[in-house]
Amino acid sequence: MQENYNVEELMELADSRQFRKLKDMLMEFNEVDIAAFIEALDSEKTVVVFRMLPKGLASDVFACLEVEKQEHIINSMTDHELGTIVEDLFVDDAVDMLEELPASVVKRVLRNATPDTRKLINQFLNYPENSAGSIMTAEYVGLKKNMTVMQAFDYIRLHGVDKETIYTCYVMDATRRLEGVVTVKDLLMNPYEVAIGDIMDTHVIKAVTTEDQEDVADSFRKYGLLSLPVVDHEERLVGIVTVDDVVDVMEQEATEDFEKMAAMIPSEKPYLKTSVFQLAKNRIMWLLVLMISSMVTGGILARYESAFAVIPLLVTFIPMLTDTGGNAGSQSSTMIIRGMAVGEIVTKDFFRVIFKELKVAIIVGVILGIVNYIRLIILYPGQEMLCLTVMLSLLITVIVAKTIGGVLPIAAKVFHMDPAIMAAPLITTIVDAVSLIIYFRLACKLLGL
Amino acid sequence: MQENYNVEELMELADSRQFRKLKDMLMEFNEVDIAAFIEALDSEKTVVVFRMLPKGLASDVFACLEVEKQEHIINSMTDHELGTIVEDLFVDDAVDMLEELPASVVKRVLRNATPDTRKLINQFLNYPENSAGSIMTAEYVGLKKNMTVMQAFDYIRLHGVDKETIYTCYVMDATRRLEGVVTVKDLLMNPYEVAIGDIMDTHVIKAVTTEDQEDVADSFRKYGLLSLPVVDHEERLVGIVTVDDVVDVMEQEATEDFEKMAAMIPSEKPYLKTSVFQLAKNRIMWLLVLMISSMVTGGILARYESAFAVIPLLVTFIPMLTDTGGNAGSQSSTMIIRGMAVGEIVTKDFFRVIFKELKVAIIVGVILGIVNYIRLIILYPGQEMLCLTVMLSLLITVIVAKTIGGVLPIAAKVFHMDPAIMAAPLITTIVDAVSLIIYFRLACKLLGL
């Protein structure tokens, strides 16, 4: 990794206002690292350092900054400077920024963009959130079928420099309908006089603007793509999605699943940037729902008050029973939810999953039951029926828990709900109630209560 | 997406043995889709269909097949055919395959590779698992500083066709020491007579062979790379990692985190391919550990037997209390574990995290407490002290749970343990014990037991 630059040294130069020397050193770095350095500066130095970057680099660095810094820099720029930055940004970066900025700043940004850029940005802002349209960029190389390889190279040399990816070129007819793709590799590997139409690949993997970004990510994963063309409902090419944006999407989707599976509403921003109130808001809803559900479990306990009034010892096995049941169920639901998220498990695998979980549950349940029985028979000699009750309850609980954990995520999918909500917290609550009913029923039967 | 092909139609052609027609139709597809089709065929037809693929396509399709199918096909091939396939595979795909195949099959594969390929594969197989070396490929374009752009193009045209990625070219000195990188975009944007040394970027982001693949993935994420050069400890270029492999790494790491966070040992293979015994083995260890830990909680309950012998009603609030505490703690630990996994939260954020979690806990705890108090005061009028006990216990439990959930993952990191084990199951078990102590202490005090 490029960790050989000395942040302290740069900071010292900034503090002692040796800006010329600082500039020379910064020029050696990648835009991502320059942005990370600027993030750490105070607001006055941010503007000074940013202004000394050369024009082209400035917009690259700008795209890497956090939205708060971007807002700060925008507010300190002249309209002319702002216009230059906006024109230099890739459309998808500009859209990302505008989605986060306050309305007044957005207005100023759009006012300073050229009409063409403004039109493009507005168009992108109108695609539904998390759709292919919302993450695409309009910067791609478009070719025609009757061009030769040589003409294609000339075209790329002339127009390609600010295209986000030039390695896949898109061949369109006069109405912008997508006809095929040709990679720069294809161009390099064919004689200069060959026509594009003869070497292009007409079996194009593509997405429609309104398609969900998760499906887009699936295509990248499945086919190992670097970019994917996005077409409208009339099959006309409107943009491309590039792999770097898809990497972000995949990461974001995984994070959302982690949050949902831990009973939270996914947050828009990273943890450290999310306010305390927003965090509390994201968490309280599910906590309330689950708290009220667990009162049902309390109600079940209340029904068996007479049982543990006679044998108070019964109560002490409750945490072991409900925790183990909850854990066993969460293991299963986590495997199934993740398997569905990466496309490995589909709804038609329902019965395979159930049988698999049943078999695993029996193996695991028997081992846990035996360990428990041995422990209890040593601790409470002579109380064989009590030990048997606990062991059997545990075995049945594990089997029921793993079945519930396997069934519910797939069932959720069938009913068009998000499988991720059928995760540990909800499974635990359900399994709690079920395991207590099993336990006390068995206890009443076997211990004659 | 390219879902317009009709699998049933293809299957019918295979069943009625119309292989010529089948071949013509298959030629229209992507290697990933052909592989998916072959996966669905029975073993005899697999070999027939695979053999009718043209040579180049055959190795691409082969790389996409599951290891069981690969083994089956290898066993049905002549040594000559096998040799051709192995030479055509990219080294990283060949290594992936060999890591999974049984030793006898591996021997046959290596015997049929040319000495050069065999040497390369063996070298790759020796890098530690999950290191940069283990996921890299040796197929890259290497240039020299004194070449011109024109000569570079000629070199690529001559040698580039079976390079995994030709879009970034690596410039090395005579001892293979990496001096810089130049992209095909740079080549396209510069005049033919310019020297590579003048346009190459000398600030190369690179990895060392022994570096962890997670760090490699972080670099791709951070800098939005398409490929990353891998050097040995003498700074000599030995291979490159490409973005498609990194996408797989990221996905695999996320899946492992999901599994660890649900108290499982991560499995090597996807769910449906993992045997029932392996699944049971992966799950039983943590279930046992957690079951035994939750017996401690049972022991705490036993100490307060006298309390709930007097007021059996106390028992019915236990599930609500422990579940809510567990959920509150899991929410916090999940956020922190994920934040650390994607590099947002680092150990020096310790105090920021704690204060944030404390504040969130107070807001959330107060709301939950009030809701609970209102419910209880309606259900059990006149029992203000009991209601107060439950409310206060809940508030304190939530605060303690969120603090534990925030502290433990970071503490794990400090002690060089995997933060992911400090997730829902372990947090729940710890919080269970703590919340019961708080509850019964408070009950004894406030209710005078």
Side-chain angles (χ1 to χ4, degrees):
Chain A
M1 306 298 106
Q2 195 185 22
E3 295 295 358
N4 50 352
Y5 68 97
N6 192 333
V7 179
E8 275 99 60
E9 196 180 335
L10 293 176
M11 273 298 170
E12 266 176 42
L13 289 176
D15 286 339
S16 56
R17 313 192 70 82
Q18 303 186 45
F19 290 120
R20 177 173 290 263
K21 200 166 165 201
L22 178 63
K23 181 181 172 182
D24 290 344
M25 285 188 66
L26 275 183
M27 290 301 95
E28 303 285 298
F29 300 141
N30 188 297
E31 65 268 22
V32 181
D33 293 320
I34 300 178
F37 171 69
I38 290 182
E39 288 288 341
L41 292 173
D42 63 35
S43 59
E44 179 243 7
K45 287 206 197 72
T46 293
V47 178
V48 178
V49 172
F50 185 78
R51 271 170 191 259
M52 72 193 192
L53 298 174
K55 236 176 59 179
L57 185 60
S59 47
D60 286 346
V61 170
F62 188 81
C64 300
L65 289 171
E66 296 286 340
V67 77
E68 289 81 11
K69 280 276 171 186
Q70 290 180 333
E71 190 182 339
H72 176 68
I73 291 174
I74 291 175
N75 286 330
S76 71
M77 276 197 276
T78 65
D79 280 3
H80 175 73
E81 286 173 319
L82 182 57
T84 321
I85 292 277
V86 175
E87 292 306 315
D88 267 10
L89 284 177
F90 288 121
V91 171
D92 57 342
D93 290 332
V95 169
D96 273 0
M97 174 185 79
L98 292 179
E99 277 173 343
E100 304 286 330
L101 285 176
S104 60
V105 184
V106 171
K107 259 191 208 151
R108 191 165 164 244
V109 171
L110 286 177
R111 206 172 50 226
N112 287 291
T114 61
D116 275 357
T117 308
R118 193 161 50 232
K119 201 176 135 203
L120 217 50
I121 291 176
N122 275 323
Q123 182 187 329
F124 274 62
L125 285 171
N126 281 331
Y127 289 114
E129 211 184 344
N130 299 333
S131 68
S134 74
I135 54 167
M136 70 187 181
T137 174
E139 279 90 1
Y140 56 86
V141 176
L143 303 175
K144 297 269 171 263
K145 243 190 333 198
N146 53 359
M147 280 177 168
T148 64
V149 169
M150 193 60 174
Q151 286 170 324
F153 272 126
D154 290 343
Y155 181 88
I156 295 172
R157 278 180 175 265
L158 200 64
H159 296 98
V161 76
D162 51 61
K163 302 300 178 186
E164 183 143 24
T165 168
I166 59 164
Y167 301 127
T168 310
C169 306
Y170 300 91
V171 187
M172 292 171 288
D173 68 9
T175 63
R176 304 193 60 78
R177 228 176 277 265
L178 186 61
E179 294 186 307
V181 292
V182 62
T183 63
V184 168
K185 188 164 169 175
D186 297 329
L187 294 179
L188 281 168
M189 296 309 146
N190 278 290
Y192 284 122
E193 64 281 3
V194 169
I196 297 297
D198 294 334
I199 57 169
M200 73 182 186
D201 185 351
T202 53
H203 303 101
V204 186
I205 299 160
K206 55 181 180 269
V208 177
T209 45
T210 49
E211 212 170 298
D212 193 288
Q213 61 178 11
E214 262 187 85
D215 296 333
V216 172
D218 282 342
S219 286
F220 272 82
R221 233 182 323 245
K222 190 169 166 199
Y223 298 105
L225 305 172
L226 294 181
S227 60
L228 179 79
V230 183
V231 296
D232 63 14
H233 292 279
E234 280 84 46
E235 289 278 311
R236 284 186 306 247
L237 184 65
V238 285
I240 62 169
V241 176
T242 54
V243 70
D244 52 320
D245 295 318
V246 169
V247 166
D248 293 343
V249 167
M250 285 170 52
E251 190 133 303
Q252 187 191 326
E253 301 282 349
T255 300
E256 277 180 20
D257 274 356
F258 275 108
E259 289 172 316
K260 283 187 217 152
M261 288 169 72
M264 288 175 280
I265 298 167
S267 37
E268 298 278 307
K269 292 189 207 171
Y271 177 78
L272 293 176
K273 307 247 167 207
T274 310
S275 72
V276 167
F277 280 99
Q278 189 59 49
L279 283 176
K281 215 173 121 192
N282 292 343
R283 297 182 189 181
I284 189 70
M285 202 268 282
W286 271 106
L287 283 181
L288 273 173
V289 171
L290 293 169
M291 184 179 80
I292 292 165
S293 316
S294 64
M295 289 169 184
V296 176
T297 315
I300 293 170
L301 272 178
R303 272 174 48 198
Y304 294 100
E305 245 182 59
S306 57
F308 56 78
V310 181
I311 314 180
L313 193 58
L314 279 177
V315 175
T316 65
F317 303 119
I318 292 179
M320 185 276 295
L321 206 60
T322 54
D323 280 2
T324 307
N327 290 332
S330 311
Q331 288 182 333
S332 307
S333 71
T334 301
M335 288 297 271
I336 309 308
I337 292 168
R338 181 66 183 161
M340 288 201 289
V342 299
E344 189 220 339
I345 300 172
V346 291
T347 45
K348 75 172 165 50
D349 295 318
F350 190 82
F351 290 104
R352 271 178 83 184
V353 169
I354 305 308
F355 285 124
K356 203 152 195 171
E357 284 307 315
L358 258 179
K359 284 185 242 169
V360 174
I362 291 170
I363 299 175
V364 170
V366 166
I367 297 175
L368 293 174
I370 292 174
V371 171
N372 228 301
Y373 188 80
I374 295 172
R375 172 181 172 270
L376 291 183
I377 210 78
I378 295 170
L379 276 177
Y380 307 102
Q383 304 212 41
E384 282 85 7
M385 281 322 261
L386 179 72
C387 302
L388 193 69
T389 305
V390 175
M391 186 190 81
L392 279 181
S393 306
L394 187 63
L395 174 62
I396 301 175
T397 296
V398 169
I399 294 174
V400 172
K402 287 216 167 279
T403 313
I404 292 177
V407 168
L408 286 192
I410 305 187
K413 186 88 177 182
V414 171
F415 292 108
H416 302 287
M417 287 157 64
D418 189 338
I421 63 165
M422 296 301 179
L426 197 61
I427 298 285
T428 303
T429 307
I430 297 172
V431 170
D432 270 11
V434 175
S435 64
L436 287 180
I437 294 178
I438 296 168
Y439 179 48
F440 281 107
R441 283 257 167 136
L442 266 177
C444 291
K445 266 247 159 71
L446 294 179
L447 304 173
L449 297 171
Chain B
M1 306 298 106
Q2 193 185 28
E3 295 295 356
N4 49 355
Y5 69 98
N6 191 332
V7 179
E8 275 99 59
E9 196 181 334
L10 292 175
M11 274 297 170
E12 266 176 44
L13 290 176
D15 286 339
S16 57
R17 313 191 71 83
Q18 302 184 47
F19 291 119
R20 176 173 292 263
K21 201 166 163 198
L22 178 62
K23 180 179 172 183
D24 290 343
M25 285 189 64
L26 276 182
M27 289 304 92
E28 303 285 299
F29 299 140
N30 187 296
E31 64 268 22
V32 181
D33 293 321
I34 300 178
F37 171 69
I38 291 182
E39 288 288 341
L41 292 173
D42 63 36
S43 59
E44 179 243 6
K45 286 205 199 74
T46 294
V47 179
V48 178
V49 172
F50 185 78
R51 273 173 189 255
M52 71 194 192
L53 298 174
K55 237 176 59 181
L57 184 60
S59 47
D60 287 346
V61 170
F62 188 81
C64 300
L65 289 171
E66 296 288 341
V67 76
E68 289 80 10
K69 281 277 170 183
Q70 289 180 332
E71 189 183 341
H72 176 68
I73 290 174
I74 291 174
N75 286 332
S76 71
M77 276 196 275
T78 65
D79 280 3
H80 175 74
E81 287 172 318
L82 182 57
T84 322
I85 292 278
V86 176
E87 291 307 314
D88 267 9
L89 283 177
F90 288 121
V91 171
D92 58 341
D93 289 333
V95 169
D96 272 0
M97 173 183 82
L98 291 179
E99 277 174 344
E100 303 285 330
L101 286 176
S104 61
V105 184
V106 171
K107 259 190 207 153
R108 195 168 160 239
V109 171
L110 286 177
R111 205 172 49 227
N112 287 291
T114 61
D116 276 358
T117 309
R118 191 161 51 233
K119 202 177 133 203
L120 215 51
I121 290 176
N122 275 323
Q123 182 186 329
F124 274 61
L125 285 172
N126 281 332
Y127 290 114
E129 211 183 343
N130 299 333
S131 68
S134 74
I135 55 167
M136 71 187 181
T137 175
E139 278 90 0
Y140 56 86
V141 176
L143 303 175
K144 297 270 171 264
K145 246 194 324 203
N146 53 359
M147 281 178 168
T148 64
V149 168
M150 193 59 172
Q151 286 170 325
F153 271 127
D154 290 344
Y155 182 88
I156 296 172
R157 277 178 177 265
L158 201 63
H159 296 98
V161 75
D162 53 60
K163 301 300 177 187
E164 184 142 21
T165 169
I166 60 164
Y167 301 127
T168 309
C169 306
Y170 300 92
V171 186
M172 292 171 289
D173 68 10
T175 64
R176 305 193 58 78
R177 230 176 274 266
L178 186 60
E179 294 186 308
V181 292
V182 62
T183 63
V184 168
K185 188 165 168 174
D186 297 329
L187 295 179
L188 281 168
M189 297 308 146
N190 278 290
Y192 283 122
E193 62 282 1
V194 169
I196 297 297
D198 295 334
I199 57 168
M200 73 183 184
D201 185 350
T202 53
H203 303 102
V204 186
I205 298 159
K206 55 182 180 265
V208 178
T209 46
T210 49
E211 211 170 299
D212 193 289
Q213 61 178 11
E214 260 185 88
D215 297 333
V216 173
D218 283 342
S219 288
F220 272 83
R221 237 186 314 249
K222 190 169 165 201
Y223 298 104
L225 305 171
L226 293 181
S227 59
L228 180 79
V230 182
V231 296
D232 63 14
H233 292 279
E234 279 84 47
E235 289 277 311
R236 284 187 305 249
L237 184 65
V238 285
I240 61 169
V241 176
T242 52
V243 68
D244 52 321
D245 295 318
V246 170
V247 166
D248 292 344
V249 167
M250 285 171 53
E251 188 132 303
Q252 187 191 326
E253 301 283 349
T255 300
E256 277 180 19
D257 275 356
F258 274 108
E259 288 172 317
K260 283 186 217 151
M261 288 169 72
M264 287 176 279
I265 298 166
S267 37
E268 299 278 305
K269 293 189 208 171
Y271 177 79
L272 293 175
K273 307 250 168 204
T274 310
S275 72
V276 167
F277 281 99
Q278 189 58 49
L279 283 177
K281 214 174 121 193
N282 292 343
R283 298 183 189 179
I284 189 69
M285 202 268 281
W286 270 107
L287 283 181
L288 272 173
V289 171
L290 293 168
M291 183 178 80
I292 292 165
S293 318
S294 64
M295 288 170 184
V296 175
T297 315
I300 292 169
L301 270 179
R303 273 176 46 201
Y304 293 100
E305 244 181 61
S306 57
F308 56 79
V310 182
I311 313 181
L313 194 57
L314 278 178
V315 174
T316 64
F317 302 119
I318 291 179
M320 185 275 296
L321 205 61
T322 54
D323 280 2
T324 306
N327 290 332
S330 311
Q331 287 181 333
S332 306
S333 71
T334 301
M335 288 296 272
I336 309 308
I337 292 169
R338 182 64 183 163
M340 290 202 287
V342 299
E344 189 220 341
I345 299 172
V346 292
T347 45
K348 76 171 164 51
D349 295 319
F350 191 82
F351 290 103
R352 271 179 83 184
V353 168
I354 306 307
F355 286 124
K356 202 152 196 170
E357 284 306 315
L358 258 180
K359 284 185 243 168
V360 174
I362 291 170
I363 299 177
V364 170
V366 166
I367 298 176
L368 293 174
I370 292 174
V371 171
N372 228 301
Y373 188 80
I374 295 172
R375 173 180 171 269
L376 292 182
I377 210 78
I378 295 170
L379 276 177
Y380 307 103
Q383 305 211 40
E384 282 84 7
M385 281 319 262
L386 179 72
C387 303
L388 193 69
T389 305
V390 175
M391 188 191 79
L392 278 180
S393 307
L394 187 64
L395 174 62
I396 301 174
T397 296
V398 169
I399 293 174
V400 172
K402 287 215 167 281
T403 313
I404 292 177
V407 168
L408 286 191
I410 304 187
K413 186 86 177 184
V414 172
F415 293 108
H416 302 288
M417 287 158 62
D418 188 338
I421 63 166
M422 297 299 179
L426 197 61
I427 297 285
T428 302
T429 308
I430 297 172
V431 170
D432 269 10
V434 176
S435 64
L436 286 181
I437 294 177
I438 295 169
Y439 179 47
F440 281 107
R441 285 256 167 137
L442 266 177
C444 291
K445 267 244 157 74
L446 294 179
L447 303 174
L449 297 171

